[in-house]
């Protein structure tokens, strides 16, 4: 649901997770209504001479000139008379329909659309977040799961290649247990009949493993004793022989990315195979069965496709039904959890007790294990074991993420310092949040030396993010009058958190169980200086727009004991007050002729959208998960580093742009 209100500065728009403020200093009367050539949740129309947005990037599309796209990135663009659609990558998807002439200007950290005088405009807004709107009830049996999965794609708005667009895939229904199958009429009537069937044995692990493929193919799942998992359709039979998780991952990757190649909705995308070169005629592929048959005829080894974005590890137990709709909404692979003993060297446990952030009490260490991971860039672990290199998801976390903040469109950030010796990290993270609060809907509150009752109240109060800097031991988070065990808190209304202290895994897990969505934690003891480095980097990455998991992946690269940091809850969650809806990472290496540069944007929570590169290579839009690559001379590379607002991995090490620019200039 989208809410909007007129303010003295313009317009404020909010949904359950995010808020966007649009500057319109001389607005006339705004009113609900108006039309856009785009699927949106709500529209608002009015008269303005200019509009301002808190991001320096946008895309302008001509509505009469064959849909030509122009990327706006730090430049001043003069638009001649025409009808246009401006897409702005704010946390809530924002589009503006207007007539030229107009000017689009992108000064630092902002974007301005201006006209010669008052002009009628229509703004459209769409929340990128969806929740289940119906509930399917089934017996907790393989046959019951098969019936539910057969209807989870009811939210798809098409059976064509355009279903690869996330906006055209509605959230799957919840799954609950009952004695008999109960499919709501609205779900049954919305379930597409594609003619594709996936036959599987009565084995829950097999059914869960094939569920992402069945979901995306919009297939009916049927049980047949002793059968090898097989896709059937009129004129088509395809057995899923071999290692089933690997076979499913490969085929889903192929059909999804080829749909992205062949879809007509949205702009043409770089970084994907050319359908013509593959012999695919998009005009003939609207039928789901014919399209699948054409994809299966291609030589999979000859097609270069991006790595998959997410894998979820679900045990073959009835409880998996609660998490399954959320995993499929993120278009995640599903695999059974499997672990191996962890070599102690992987956590680099060393006896540097004088420098550990723990005071004089033992920390609550976790016996982590090594996961067997599938072909994906992020990994959600929904199991009782605690592995490294994943985010330790909980079903409650996905459900908690459906709730919003009742904070009038503002996003409270709270910083707590409960040890006077850790003032440097406290001051730096508070500065980062306050700097971004100037042009984002963030309200920053800082506390020092709280009692147990006061810290409990911090977590019980509605907030977007709580950053705790202090100590933790087996009795809980250290306070001035003792220790606070999170299990003593009746509920947590802190959506996200970072408990930057020793051995905070169990405290973070308890916060998720009591209402939080996700947060950063540690497995055992951490070094003071390194904890401060991770904490300040994590803070900046979150505000920039990275998901909780991706922010932690990047932040912990800076220290030797990085694997000691982890995420509990829904690692795909992003903060509402983020600066960029499509945050990316720049990877660079020096070469004989200059610098090899790659810009990488990993989807935060689902696949199929696109981004525009930041002055690297062409400005052609790229699919999430694909990269933009270029070779630059020293002057051009330095110019990119000085202009980009993104983390940089240079020669394998993490840098902020200003730090790398300073290093490069000193080497001249």
């Amino acid at each position: 649901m989208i809410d909007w209100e007129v303010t003295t500065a313009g317009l404020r728009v909010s949904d359950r997770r995010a808020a966007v403020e649009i500057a319109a200093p001389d607005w006339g009367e705004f009113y609900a209504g108006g039309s856009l050539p785009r699927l949106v949740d709500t529209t608002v129309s009015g008269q303005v001479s200019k509009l301002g947005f808190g991001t320096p990037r946008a895309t302008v599309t001509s509505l009469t000139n064959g849909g030509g796209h122009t990327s706006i990135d730090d430049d001043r663009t003069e638009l001649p008379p025409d009808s246009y659609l401006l897409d702005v990558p704010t946390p809530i998807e924002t589009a503006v329909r207007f007539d030229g002439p107009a000017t689009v200007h992108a000064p630092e950290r902002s974007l301005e659309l201006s006209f010669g005088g008052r002009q009628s405009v229509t703004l459209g807004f769409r929340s990128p977040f969806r929740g289940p709107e119906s509930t399917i009830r089934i017996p907790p049996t393989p046959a019951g799961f098969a019936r539910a999965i057969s209807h989870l794609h009811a939210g798809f708005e098409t059976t064509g290649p355009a279903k690869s667009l996330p906006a055209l895939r509605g959230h799957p229904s919840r799954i609950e247990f009952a004695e008999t199958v109960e499919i709501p009429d609205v779900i049954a009537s919305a379930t597409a009949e594609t003619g594709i069937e996936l036959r599987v044995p009565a084995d829950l692990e097999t059914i869960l493993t094939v569920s992402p493929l069945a979901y995306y193919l919009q297939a009916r799942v049927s049980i047949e004793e002793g059968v090898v998992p097989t896709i059937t359709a009129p004129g088509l039979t395809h057995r899923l022989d071999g290692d089933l998780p690997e076979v499913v991952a490969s085929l889903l990757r192929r059909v999804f990315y080829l749909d992205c190649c062949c879809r007509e909705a949205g702009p043409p995308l770089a970084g994907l195979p050319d359908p013509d070169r593959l012999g695919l005629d998009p005009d003939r592929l609207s039928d789901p069965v014919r399209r699948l048959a054409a994809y299966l005829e291609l030589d999979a080894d000859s097609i270069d496709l991006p790595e998959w974005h997410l894998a979820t590890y679900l045990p073959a137990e009835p409880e998996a039904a609660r998490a399954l709709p959320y995993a499929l909404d993120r278009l995640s692979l599903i695999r059974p959890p499997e672990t191996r003993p962890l070599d102690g060297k992987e956590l680099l446990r060393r006896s540097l007790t004088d420098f550990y952030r723990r005071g004089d009490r033992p920390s609550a260490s976790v016996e982590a294990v090594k996961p067997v991971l599938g072909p994906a860039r992020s990994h959600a672990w929904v199991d009782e074991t605690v592995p490294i290199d994943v985010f330790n998801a909980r079903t409650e976390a996905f459900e908690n993420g459906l709730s919003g903040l009742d904070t009038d469109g503002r996003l409270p950030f709270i910083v707590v310092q409960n040890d006077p010796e850790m003032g440097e990290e406290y001051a730096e993270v508070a500065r980062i949040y306050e700097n971004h609060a100037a042009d984002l809907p963030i309200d920053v509150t800082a506390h020092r030396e709280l009692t147990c009752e006061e810290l409990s109240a911090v977590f019980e109060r509605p907030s977007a993010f709580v950053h705790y800097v202090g100590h933790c031991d087996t009795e809980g988070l250290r306070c001035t009058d003792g220790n606070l065990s999170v299990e003593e808190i009746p509920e947590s209304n802190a959506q996200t958190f970072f408990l930057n202290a020793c051995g905070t895994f169990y405290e973070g897990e308890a916060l998720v169980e009591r209402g939080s969505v996700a947060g950063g934690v540690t497995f055992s003891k951490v070094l003071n200086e390194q904890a401060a480095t991770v904490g300040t980097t994590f803070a900046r990455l979150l505000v920039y727009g990275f998901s909780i998991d991706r922010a932690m992946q990047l932040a912990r690269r800076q220290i030797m004991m990085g694997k000691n940091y982890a995420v509990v809850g829904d690692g795909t969650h992003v903060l509402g007050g983020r600066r960029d809806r499509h945050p990316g990472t720049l990877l660079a290496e020096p070469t004989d002729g200059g610098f090899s540069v790659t810009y990488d944007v990993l989807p935060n929570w689902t696949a199929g959208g696109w981004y525009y590169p930041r002055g690297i290579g062409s400005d052609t839009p790229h699919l999430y998960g694909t990269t933009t690559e270029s070779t630059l001379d020293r002057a051009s590379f330095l110019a990119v580093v000085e202009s980009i607002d993104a983390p940089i991995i240079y020669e394998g090490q993490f840098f902020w742009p200003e730090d790398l620019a300073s290093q490069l200039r000193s080497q001249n």
Side-chain angles (χ1 to χ4, degrees), residues 15-18 129-132 171 174 326 330 394-405 494-496 512 515-518 569-570 572-574:
D15 64 4
R16 290 175 296 181
R17 288 192 186 179
F129 303 106
R130 295 287 186 272
H171 199 293
R174 292 183 185 88
Y326 302 99
R330 290 150 177 79
R394 297 289 182 271
T395 302
E396 300 97 321
F398 300 123
E399 296 168 343
N400 296 343
L402 301 177
S403 301
L405 285 172
Q495 280 194 331
T496 58
V512 171
S516 293
V517 180
D570 178 12
T572 69
H573 186 84
V574 293

Side-chain angles (χ1 to χ4, degrees), residues 535-565:
T536 54
T537 304
F538 186 72
R540 185 167 168 181
L541 290 167
L542 284 184
V543 175
Y544 183 65
F546 287 96
S547 68
I548 299 284
D549 181 56
R550 183 61 173 156
M552 185 60 76
Q553 287 181 23
L554 290 168
R556 69 189 189 185
R557 289 181 67 112
Q558 297 193 83
I559 64 171
M560 289 188 299
M561 299 181 68
K563 290 183 184 292
N564 208 6
Y565 280 87

Side-chain angles (χ1 to χ4, degrees), residues 100-310:
T103 300
V104 184
H105 178 48
E108 183 179 1
R109 286 189 172 185
S110 64
L111 182 92
E112 182 180 278
L113 170 66
S114 60
F115 309 99
R118 296 283 284 275
Q119 168 81 17
S120 295
V121 298
T122 296
L123 298 95
F125 305 98
R126 181 177 173 87
S127 173
F129 303 106
R130 295 287 186 272
E133 297 182 356
S134 299
T135 300
I136 293 173
R137 293 178 173 85
I138 57 168
T141 63
F145 271 78
R147 285 290 302 277
I149 293 166
S150 299
H151 290 278
L152 291 182
H153 60 80
F156 284 29
E157 297 182 24
T158 178
T159 60
K163 67 182 179 181
S164 58
L165 286 165
L168 300 186
R169 300 191 303 269
H171 199 293
S173 300
R174 292 183 185 88
I175 301 176
E176 295 180 355
F177 293 135
E179 293 184 1
T180 60
V181 174
E182 301 174 23
I183 309 294
D185 291 343
V186 65
I187 297 300
S189 61
T191 301
E193 294 291 341
T194 61
I196 300 174
E197 184 176 2
L198 215 168
R199 299 177 183 174
V200 293
D203 174 69
L204 186 53
E205 182 176 304
T206 298
I207 293 169
L208 291 172
T209 300
V210 303
S211 62
L213 184 60
Y215 171 71
Y216 187 72
L217 290 178
Q218 299 164 278
R220 184 169 72 90
V221 181
S222 62
I223 301 295
E224 186 175 327
E225 290 296 337
V227 70
V228 173
T230 303
I231 299 172
T232 64
L236 185 154
T237 300
H238 182 78
R239 286 165 53 107
L240 303 179
D241 289 313
D243 184 327
L244 187 62
E246 298 297 325
V247 171
V248 168
S250 176
L251 185 52
L252 176 59
R253 184 166 163 252
R254 188 194 319 186
V255 296
F256 175 79
Y257 283 125
L258 289 176
D259 272 355
C260 293
C261 296
C262 295
R263 71 192 187 199
E264 296 181 352
L269 300 174
L272 290 173
D274 183 344
D276 293 334
R277 293 185 178 181
L278 295 175
L280 298 172
D281 181 359
D283 294 335
R284 299 178 57 193
L285 298 180
S286 59
D287 178 75
V289 175
R290 293 177 62 191
R291 187 168 73 254
L292 176 60
Y295 292 169
L296 290 173
E297 290 173 358
L298 298 174
D299 179 7
D301 294 334
S302 66
I303 308 173
D304 185 18
L305 298 172
E307 188 176 3
W308 204 248
H309 61 290
L310 179 65

Side-chain angles (χ1 to χ4, degrees), residues 364-414:
S365 298
V366 175
E367 288 302 319
V369 295
K370 185 176 182 63
V372 178
L373 299 178
R377 298 185 63 180
S378 291
H379 305 273
W381 197 267
V382 190
D383 189 52
E384 293 303 314
T385 54
V386 183
I388 61 171
D389 297 329
V390 303
F391 61 88
N392 294 270
R394 297 289 182 271
T395 302
E396 300 97 321
F398 300 123
E399 296 168 343
N400 296 343
L402 301 177
S403 301
L405 285 172
D406 185 16
T407 54
D408 193 30
R410 304 294 297 177
L411 300 168
F413 279 47
I414 303 174

Side-chain angles (χ1 to χ4, degrees), residues 245-501:
E246 298 297 325
V247 171
V248 168
S250 176
L251 185 52
L252 176 59
R253 184 166 163 252
R254 188 194 319 186
V255 296
F256 175 79
Y257 283 125
L258 289 176
D259 272 355
C260 293
C261 296
C262 295
R263 71 192 187 199
E264 296 181 352
L269 300 174
L272 290 173
D274 183 344
D276 293 334
R277 293 185 178 181
L278 295 175
L280 298 172
D281 181 359
D283 294 335
R284 299 178 57 193
L285 298 180
S286 59
D287 178 75
V289 175
R290 293 177 62 191
R291 187 168 73 254
L292 176 60
Y295 292 169
L296 290 173
E297 290 173 358
L298 298 174
D299 179 7
D301 294 334
S302 66
I303 308 173
D304 185 18
L305 298 172
E307 188 176 3
W308 204 248
H309 61 290
L310 179 65
T312 299
Y313 301 80
L314 278 176
E317 301 170 355
E319 180 65 17
R322 286 177 59 200
L324 185 61
Y326 302 99
L328 295 184
D329 178 57
R330 290 150 177 79
L331 215 57
S332 174
L333 300 172
I334 305 292
R335 299 174 64 95
E338 182 182 351
T339 64
R340 296 171 181 166
L342 180 64
D343 183 349
K345 292 181 180 179
E346 296 219 35
L347 284 178
L348 288 177
R349 293 174 178 155
R350 300 181 300 165
S351 299
L352 300 177
T353 53
D354 289 344
F355 301 96
Y356 282 126
R357 175 171 291 195
R358 67 177 179 89
D360 56 358
R361 299 180 186 177
S363 61
S365 298
V366 175
E367 288 302 319
V369 295
K370 185 176 182 63
V372 178
L373 299 178
R377 298 185 63 180
S378 291
H379 305 273
W381 197 267
V382 190
D383 189 52
E384 293 303 314
T385 54
V386 183
I388 61 171
D389 297 329
V390 303
F391 61 88
N392 294 270
R394 297 289 182 271
T395 302
E396 300 97 321
F398 300 123
E399 296 168 343
N400 296 343
L402 301 177
S403 301
L405 285 172
D406 185 16
T407 54
D408 193 30
R410 304 294 297 177
L411 300 168
F413 279 47
I414 303 174
V415 184
V416 177
Q417 180 197 354
N418 257 17
D419 188 291
E421 296 180 1
M422 300 169 187
E424 185 176 341
E425 178 185 350
Y426 168 84
E428 179 63 12
V429 297
R431 183 192 65 79
I432 290 170
Y433 299 140
E434 288 168 353
N435 283 354
H436 289 280
D439 51 2
L440 292 174
I442 294 174
D443 295 326
V444 183
T445 305
H447 300 283
R448 295 189 182 202
E449 300 184 36
L450 298 184
T451 65
C452 292
E453 182 178 354
E454 291 169 336
L455 183 58
S456 177
V458 164
F459 288 114
E460 293 178 62
R461 186 184 313 146
S463 64
F465 186 64
V466 173
H467 191 133
Y468 171 85
V469 180
H471 291 300
C472 181
D473 54 48
T474 54
E475 297 179 3
L477 302 174
R478 190 81 58 83
C479 299
T480 57
D481 59 347
N483 285 65
L484 172 67
S485 171
V486 172
E487 293 185 352
E488 300 172 1
I489 300 176
E491 66 177 3
S492 174
N493 291 304
Q495 280 194 331
T496 58
F497 55 86
F498 188 24
L499 305 181
N500 201 8

